[in-house]
Amino acid sequence: MTTAQPTPPATRLLRARAQGVGSGWRGRSVAEVLGRAFAVQAQDAAAAALGIRARSSELTAADVVRATDVERSVVRNWFMRGTLHLVPAADVRWLTSLLGPVFLRLSERRYRELGLDDRDLLRAERVITSALGEGPVSRAELSGRLAAAGFGNGGGQVAVHLLRRCALSGLICHGPTVEGEPSFVLLDEWMGSAGAPAVTAEVAAEDAAVELVRRYRAAHGPAAPEDFAAWSGLSVTVARRAWSSGPYEAEAEAEAEVEVEVEPAEAVGDVRLLPAYDNYLVGYRTRALSVPPAFERLVHPGGGQLRATVIVDGLACATWSRRVGRPVSVTPFEELPAPVRTGLAAEQADILRFLGER
C-alpha cells in the first residue's frame, strides 16, 4: 500500500526521529546513539560529544571519552566529505576503503599548492608512521617532527593535510586524549589491540557505496540521492547509482511516483540543543525543512560557520552558545511559547549535567 508524498512538516518529523533528535527518542549508550545516527560530525571533539548528548539520556562526557579512548568502540577520523566524524569502530575500514581514495584524489591539487610532490608525501608518511610506532603522539608533537623533517612551509596547514592523508590512506586515526590534547595512533595497532572490537564489519568494495546508502537512509530518511551525495561527498552519479542498486531498486522506482508508506512521526514539542555543525543540519543538500528560510543566516552566517541550534520537533527556533564556566545563552528567532521554554530550560540544565558542571 502506498500514500502520497509526505508533507514538508511530516518529512521533517520523520528526519528528526531518524536522527534521534525528535519524537522523544533518546539512546541509553554511545553505541545505541551511533547505531541510530551512524556518524556524528566531529570537527570539534567537544561539539561531537554534545551531539551524542543531544541524542541520549543520562550519558556524560566521560562516557564518550570512555568509548573513544578506552573501549575503542568509537573512532574519530576523516570520513564523509573528507571531514572528521565519530563512527562505530566496526565500520572504520570499509568506510575508509570507500571514501579515502575519493578525497585523496580531490586533495591532489591542494598538495601541489602546498609544494608537496609524490616523494614528499611518501617521506612525510614515513615520518608520521615511524613516530606513531612509539605509541600515541599528539598532533602538536607530530607537527614538530614534520617541521624538523623539512615540512614547515605553509604553517600548520601542511601538517594537517599530511595527517589527514595518512588517515584517508587507512594508516592512522585519532587515538586517546594525552594531557588534554588529541593524539594520533596507527590504525592497525589501535584496532587490533586489546579493547578494540573483536569483529570488524567487512563490506565488499563493490557493495560499500550501497551499504553507505543503507546506513544513510536509516539515519536520515526520508531523503533523495542528491541529499546522500551532499552528505557523503560522493559524486551525484555514484550516489544515484548506489541509491538505485540492489535492494533499493524497487523502492527507488516506487519513490519516483509515490512514497512507500511509513509510520508517521508526531509533533510532541521535543526540544533539543544541537551543537555546531550537527549532522541533522548538514545531512541534506539544503536546510529548507529544518531552518525557516527567514532565519537561515542566523544559523549559517557564512564563512564556513554553522551555529549551535535549538530545534523543536526538528524545526530550528533559536541559536545557542556557551563559554566555559558560564550558563547556556540562547538567542531565539522569535518569542518562544511557554512549553518550549520549559523544554529549553531542561536541555540547558542537561548540558551542565553532561559536562559534570552541575
Side-chain angles (χ1 to χ4, degrees):
M1 180 178 179
T2 58
T3 63
Q5 290 279 359
T7 64
T11 297
R12 177 171 58 245
L13 288 169
L14 289 168
R15 287 179 172 182
R17 183 176 69 183
Q19 261 294 296
V21 294
S23 298
W25 188 90
R26 288 184 184 269
R28 294 167 293 180
S29 67
V30 176
E32 189 174 5
V33 168
L34 286 176
R36 190 173 190 105
F38 176 57
V40 170
Q41 194 90 356
Q43 292 102 315
D44 181 276
L50 289 170
I52 290 176
R53 182 218 67 85
R55 295 164 169 81
S56 65
S57 61
E58 303 307 319
L59 288 179
T60 66
D63 292 323
V64 179
V65 172
R66 186 177 303 109
T68 57
D69 292 15
V70 181
E71 299 169 355
R72 307 183 191 180
S73 58
V74 176
V75 170
R76 182 182 180 219
N77 226 23
W78 285 272
F79 297 105
M80 283 66 69
R81 302 184 306 286
T83 60
L84 288 167
H85 288 78
L86 293 180
V87 305
D91 296 310
V92 167
R93 295 191 191 281
W94 71 264
L95 279 173
T96 303
S97 295
L98 170 66
L99 300 172
V102 174
F103 301 115
L104 285 171
R105 185 169 58 254
L106 292 174
S107 298
E108 289 175 356
R109 178 178 176 181
R110 184 58 181 146
Y111 298 149
R112 292 195 297 271
E113 291 173 347
L114 292 170
L116 300 168
D117 61 24
D118 290 344
R119 288 178 299 178
D120 292 327
L121 295 174
L122 290 175
R123 188 165 66 86
E125 181 181 298
R126 289 193 293 270
V127 171
I128 293 169
T129 55
S130 175
L132 296 182
E134 305 167 12
V137 180
S138 71
R139 172 175 156 179
E141 184 175 343
L142 285 170
S143 296
R145 295 199 186 196
L146 287 167
F151 297 100
N153 295 332
Q157 282 210 19
V158 169
V160 170
H161 279 280
L162 293 173
L163 289 168
R164 178 176 177 269
R165 178 182 177 276
C166 284
L168 291 172
S169 299
L171 298 173
I172 71 173
C173 66
H174 282 75
T177 301
V178 177
E179 297 182 352
E181 296 294 328
S183 73
F184 288 88
V185 292
L186 293 173
L187 179 63
D188 285 345
E189 290 189 4
W190 187 248
M191 296 289 290
S193 301
V199 177
T200 298
E202 294 185 4
V203 179
E206 62 270 22
D207 298 329
V210 176
E211 176 64 13
L212 191 57
V213 165
R214 185 182 74 81
R215 302 296 186 94
Y216 175 79
R217 292 174 77 137
H220 293 82
E226 293 75 18
D227 295 310
F228 171 67
W231 170 80
S232 66
L234 297 173
S235 70
V236 173
T237 299
V238 171
R240 286 175 176 162
R241 183 167 61 246
W243 194 272
S244 60
S245 296
Y248 304 115
E249 186 173 359
E251 186 177 345
E253 291 176 359
E255 287 175 348
E257 299 179 1
V258 292
E259 181 72 17
V260 175
E261 185 175 7
V262 294
E263 180 186 351
E266 295 183 2
V268 295
D270 194 336
V271 180
R272 307 288 178 107
L273 266 64
L274 305 183
Y277 306 100
D278 190 82
N279 299 24
Y280 179 67
L281 297 180
V282 300
Y284 309 93
R285 55 187 160 171
T286 79
R287 283 178 288 277
L289 291 183
S290 57
V291 180
F295 305 114
E296 167 70 15
R297 279 296 180 187
L298 298 180
V299 173
H300 184 209
Q305 295 185 67
L306 192 64
R307 289 174 174 153
T309 306
V310 181
I311 62 170
V312 181
D313 292 328
L315 183 64
C317 66
T319 58
W320 67 274
S321 61
R322 178 181 178 273
R323 295 182 179 178
V324 176
R326 301 286 296 275
V328 173
S329 175
V330 175
T331 304
F333 300 157
E334 300 175 317
E335 184 175 355
L336 300 175
V340 172
R341 294 198 300 271
T342 299
L344 180 57
E347 278 282 275
Q348 290 171 294
D350 192 65
I351 286 179
L352 300 182
R353 177 205 60 78
F354 177 81
L355 297 173
E357 297 181 12
R358 190 191 71 177

